[in-house]
Amino acid sequence: MDKETNMNPQKISELFEKAKEKEKSGVLDVGAFIDENLSPADARKLKNAMKDPGLIRSILSSPQAQKFFERFSKGKEGND
């Protein structure tokens, strides 16, 4: 299995917006959301990655993840 799956920024933004809408309408079932919105191969990679705490820490501390969090958290402090 390769160590990197690239997804274009537009696709990431679309997924983020879909997840926000699902969450607003009730409980967001992450597993179902992954299955519904990613290819089977990408869903499998993401689910496998989610089982590895060390990998998750590494991903979340990456410069790319920090940029992602910064971009999507602007204006979110107490503003839904």
Side-chain angles (χ1 to χ4, degrees), residues 14-43:
E14 289 172 11
L15 289 172
F16 187 76
E17 290 303 317
K18 279 184 178 182
K20 284 193 325 187
E21 289 303 312
K22 286 264 191 186
E23 190 173 43
K24 284 180 186 177
S25 66
V27 177
L28 175 62
D29 180 339
V30 176
F33 184 82
I34 290 169
D35 290 336
E36 292 167 4
N37 292 283
L38 297 178
S39 70
D42 287 345

Side-chain angles (χ1 to χ4, degrees), residues 6-8 10 14 26 32 37 46-48 53 61 63 70-71 80:
N6 291 318
M7 193 177 289
N8 74 47
Q10 180 65 32
E14 289 172 11
N37 292 283
L46 181 54
K47 287 178 178 180
N48 285 336
S61 65
E70 182 180 311
R71 176 179 174 200
D80 269 334

